[in-house]
């Protein structure tokens, strides 16, 4: 008996000196959700634990505790979505909340289609000091301001060209090209993902292939990527694709095509040729990928119907030329001849936003054909006059794509998604809202219309395209998948109800079905409501040099 009590005392002393290790308490446990890990593999029911900014464990965690818990039974638990083509840089500089994309599960916005937040020349030194002049300066500004989503950016080749050449046509001098290359080098070291182009628009269209190769070679040295709105998405798409492949090969750089599509019915029969050329390039070892938005209409300015030569020098010079009777006659001739290819059926172009309120009252929501009848001239004359008088590009919708081709492109395994729009907070009331529903509905539309209703993609494959595929293309570490050690960016939604609400007639409606969203371990959407937390970070590219 004495030995028993001595042994018991010994155990008590051991328990005091060496207490039993208590189970780790997590910050969050999301319980019983259907986990889609981002790899494209079959989902599984599991708990997901978050500690700090990272995923700590995935599995059966019923014996573990957390400061907070969420019941995700019946919900999909996925990595946060990556918007490969975002124009939210200005919106986020205003309020930082990104409500319209957070309500779709987007946790990373990627900027830089031709234009990027830097480099930029400011009108005054005061502006430069209070805002920024470089991409790195923009990143610093946003870090100080605070943002809900993570952000990343390509360096816009158009921004670089404007910085050195303005809006002029022609090739840069050797000295100018050297300065452009230096700007690209600086941008890569400040964290750019690579070089982004918008070659269908002036002044980007003035850049030669050789100029782009020279800039892409700088990016290649840092391990970045070339991403492009090609010179043509219609009549000359094969030549445009050849140029993209050439840049990739000669600069030894991975390439991606922005919003892959085929415009105008006369070009729809080229879809097989386009996809075969991409497949052939990929099979030959050329790292070529693409992204898209799930709509048949594009959104851009009415000035896209004008020849690019008349746009040289900027908007003021353009309007001056079009007031000249001789030059106006030349512009009209080229428009009637289908130059540029955007000069499509005026019945398929819808005018959405003017600077002048009187024009909004008369023409908003009308096709160019309908506006021409009201205005009293033919569609081309009407377009020129309205652009001159409104002193804006006149935001418009172009219905030029085929629904069947949208589905076909969506099924390609190398295609990710991008909204090609901003991310808005309707509650703030001070933002210039998009005129295309893609800004409010891209990701929810894929999950609702094309996954659930039409079964074009499985849910796990759609999630892979929104998560691990773009993260891998961007060489982003610890994002794009649900796995221990990865950052806790999560999208938790109801697969049975997620859908886009925005329409062409009423584009400013939030999507539904997203229930919870986390960014870097912080909940930014709780039971469908934005928490207004700002845990977002700057995701810098492979060339970033920390100061």
């Amino acid at each position: 008996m004495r030995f028993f009590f001595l042994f018991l005392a010994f155990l008590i002393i051991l328990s005091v000196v060496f207490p039993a290790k208590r189970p780790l308490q997590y910050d969050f446990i999301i319980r019983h959700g259907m986990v889609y890990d981002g790899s494209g593999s079959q989902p599984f029911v599991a708990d997901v634990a978050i500690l700090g900014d990272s995923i700590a464990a995935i599995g059966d965690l019923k014996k573990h505790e957390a400061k907070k818990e969420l019941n995700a039974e019946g919900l999909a638990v996925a990595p946060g979505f990556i918007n490969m083509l975002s124009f939210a840089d200005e919106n986020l500089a205003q309020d930082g909340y990104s409500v319209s994309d957070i309500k779709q599960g987007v946790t990373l916005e990627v900027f830089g289609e031709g234009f990027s937040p830097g480099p930029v020349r400011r009108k005054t030194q005061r502006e430069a000091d209070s805002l920024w002049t470089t991409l790195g300066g923009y990143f610093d500004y946003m870090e100080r301001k605070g943002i809900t989503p993570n952000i990343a950016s390509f360096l816009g080749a158009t921004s670089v060209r404007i910085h050195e050449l303005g809006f002029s046509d022609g090739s840069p001098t050797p000295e100018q090209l050297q300065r452009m290359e230096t700007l690209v080098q600086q941008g890569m070291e400040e964290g750019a993902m690579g070089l982004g182009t918008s070659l269908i628009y002036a002044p980007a269209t003035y850049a030669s292939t050789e100029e782009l190769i020279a800039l892409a070679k700088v990016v290649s040295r840092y391990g970045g990527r070339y991403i492009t709105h090609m010179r043509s998405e219609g009549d000359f798409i094969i030549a445009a694709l050849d140029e993209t492949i050439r840049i990739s090969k000669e600069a030894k750089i991975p390439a991606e095509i922005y919003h892959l599509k085929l415009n105008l019915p006369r070009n729809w029969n080229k879809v097989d040729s386009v996809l075969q050329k991409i497949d052939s390039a990929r099979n030959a070892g050329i790292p070529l990928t693409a992204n898209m938005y799930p709509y048949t209409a594009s959104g851009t300015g009415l000035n896209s119907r004008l020849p690019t030569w008349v746009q040289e020098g900027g908007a003021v010079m353009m309007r001056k030329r079009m007031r000249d009777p001789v030059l106006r006659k030349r512009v009209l001739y080229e428009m009637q001849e289908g130059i540029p290819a955007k000069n499509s059926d005026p019945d398929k172009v819808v005018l959405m936003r003017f600077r002048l309120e009187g024009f909004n009252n008369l023409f908003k929501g009308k096709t160019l054909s309908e506006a021409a009848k009201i205005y009293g001239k033919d569609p081309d004359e009407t377009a020129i006059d309205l652009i001159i008088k409104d002193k804006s590009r006149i935001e418009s919708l172009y219905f030029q794509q085929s629904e069947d081709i949208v589905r076909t492109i969506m099924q390609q395994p190398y295609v990710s998604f991008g909204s090609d729009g901003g991310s808005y907070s309707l509650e703030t009331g001070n933002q210039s809202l998009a005129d295309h529903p893609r800004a409010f509905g891209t990701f929810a539309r894929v999950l609702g219309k094309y996954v659930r209703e039409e079964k074009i993609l499985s849910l796990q494959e759609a999630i892979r395209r929104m998560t691990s595929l773009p993260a891998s293309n961007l060489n982003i570490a610890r994002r794009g998948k649900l796995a221990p050690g990865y950052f806790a960016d999560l999208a938790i939604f109801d697969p049975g109800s997620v859908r886009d609400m925005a329409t062409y007639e009423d584009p400013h409606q939030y999507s539904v079905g997203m229930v919870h969203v986390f960014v870097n371990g912080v909940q930014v959407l709780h039971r469908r409501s934005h928490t207004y937390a700002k845990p977002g970070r700057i995701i810098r590219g492979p060339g970033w040099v920390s100061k």
Side-chain angles (χ1 to χ4, degrees), residues 128-285:
D129 292 341
S130 63
L131 296 173
W132 63 86
T133 58
T134 66
L135 182 60
Y138 172 80
F139 286 159
D140 292 342
Y141 179 90
M142 297 304 285
E143 278 187 321
R144 292 193 301 270
K145 185 177 183 64
I147 44 177
T148 297
N150 301 309
I151 63 172
S153 185
F154 285 83
L155 192 72
T158 310
S159 296
V160 171
R161 195 172 214 277
I162 290 172
H163 194 275
E164 296 303 320
L165 281 79
F167 288 81
S168 63
D169 196 352
S171 299
T173 66
E175 292 77 16
Q176 288 172 323
L177 183 59
Q178 178 61 53
R179 290 199 297 271
M180 292 167 70
E181 291 173 350
T182 300
L183 285 173
V184 173
Q185 176 180 333
Q186 178 183 349
M188 292 303 295
E189 292 180 357
E190 290 173 340
M193 290 290 165
L195 186 72
T197 65
S198 51
L199 301 177
I200 208 165
Y201 300 113
T205 189
Y206 306 143
S208 67
T209 307
E210 291 72 22
E211 176 185 321
L212 298 173
I213 290 171
L215 300 183
K217 283 181 176 179
V218 178
V219 173
S220 179
R221 294 200 298 267
Y222 289 92
R225 194 174 195 85
Y226 175 73
I227 189 166
T228 180
H229 181 150
M230 298 190 300
R231 289 188 196 274
S232 174
E233 297 169 327
D235 292 349
F236 308 105
I237 190 169
I238 299 299
L241 188 52
D242 285 338
E243 179 187 45
T244 302
I245 294 170
R246 180 189 167 194
I247 292 169
S248 176
K249 289 173 67 175
E250 294 193 22
K252 295 181 174 58
I253 189 171
E256 177 149 346
I257 301 165
Y258 276 130
H259 43 60
L260 181 60
K261 66 171 86 76
L262 280 109
N263 285 333
L264 303 172
R266 64 177 179 262
N267 294 306
W268 293 349
N269 62 358
K270 297 175 182 176
V271 63
D272 289 340
S273 298
V274 167
L275 296 180
Q276 287 169 8
K277 183 172 280 290
I278 293 173
D279 287 340
S280 295
R282 287 169 55 82
N283 291 336

Side-chain angles (χ1 to χ4, degrees), residues 62-176:
K62 62 177 174 287
K63 295 183 179 179
H64 294 265
E65 298 178 351
K67 297 173 185 175
K68 295 181 180 180
E69 295 192 3
L70 289 175
N71 181 8
E73 187 173 358
L75 302 179
V77 181
F81 303 150
I82 297 174
N83 186 347
M84 275 299 292
L85 175 50
S86 172
F87 279 100
D89 50 307
E90 292 186 8
N91 312 134
L92 290 174
Q94 293 176 17
D95 69 21
Y97 294 125
S98 190
V99 178
S100 62
D101 266 2
I102 291 295
K103 282 180 173 284
Q104 297 181 76
V106 173
T107 58
L108 171 57
E109 306 279 353
V110 185
F111 315 136
E113 187 203 3
F115 290 92
S116 54
V120 60
R121 293 188 185 276
R122 297 293 180 185
K123 293 179 180 178
T124 66
Q125 188 59 45
R126 184 176 181 180
E127 274 189 342
D129 292 341
S130 63
L131 296 173
W132 63 86
T133 58
T134 66
L135 182 60
Y138 172 80
F139 286 159
D140 292 342
Y141 179 90
M142 297 304 285
E143 278 187 321
R144 292 193 301 270
K145 185 177 183 64
I147 44 177
T148 297
N150 301 309
I151 63 172
S153 185
F154 285 83
L155 192 72
T158 310
S159 296
V160 171
R161 195 172 214 277
I162 290 172
H163 194 275
E164 296 303 320
L165 281 79
F167 288 81
S168 63
D169 196 352
S171 299
T173 66
E175 292 77 16
Q176 288 172 323

Side-chain angles (χ1 to χ4, degrees), residues 327-455:
L327 295 178
R328 181 186 179 99
K329 186 176 180 179
R330 178 185 167 190
V331 170
L332 285 167
Y333 172 77
E334 292 192 11
M335 292 174 74
Q336 289 157 10
E337 291 296 309
I339 304 171
K342 277 285 187 187
N343 194 27
S344 59
D345 185 349
D347 291 334
K348 301 296 184 181
V349 179
V350 179
L351 311 181
M352 293 301 294
R353 178 157 39 100
F354 296 81
R355 189 181 62 84
L356 298 176
E357 194 56 35
F359 280 175
N360 272 320
N361 294 335
L362 277 173
F363 304 123
K364 181 177 172 62
K366 301 215 168 26
T367 67
L368 181 55
S369 293
E370 292 168 338
K373 290 177 182 177
I374 295 170
Y375 190 73
K377 292 185 178 181
D378 71 39
D380 291 338
E381 292 265 18
T382 299
I384 290 174
D385 282 356
L386 292 180
I387 290 168
I388 291 172
K389 293 179 179 180
D390 197 60
K391 294 184 179 179
S392 80
R393 71 179 205 156
I394 305 177
E395 299 298 330
S396 304
L397 301 176
Y398 290 75
F399 290 85
Q400 300 179 319
Q401 301 168 57
S402 154
E403 183 65 48
D404 286 341
I405 293 178
V406 168
R407 296 187 184 101
T408 297
I409 292 173
M410 191 178 294
Q411 290 173 312
Q412 306 310 306
Y414 51 80
V415 173
S416 58
F417 298 96
S419 68
D420 199 4
S423 185
Y424 302 94
S425 306
L426 294 176
E427 296 77 8
T428 61
N430 63 347
Q431 299 184 15
S432 180
L433 296 174
D435 303 295
H436 195 299
R438 63 193 178 192
F440 282 78
T442 288
F443 292 84
R445 184 174 178 83
V446 172
L447 298 174
K449 175 179 171 62
Y450 292 102
V451 171
R452 184 179 63 246
E453 296 175 7
E454 298 190 8
K455 297 179 171 52

Side-chain angles (χ1 to χ4, degrees), residues 8-20:
L8 183 61
F10 177 71
L11 291 178
I12 293 171
I13 292 169
L14 280 179
S15 69
V16 172
V17 178
F18 302 105

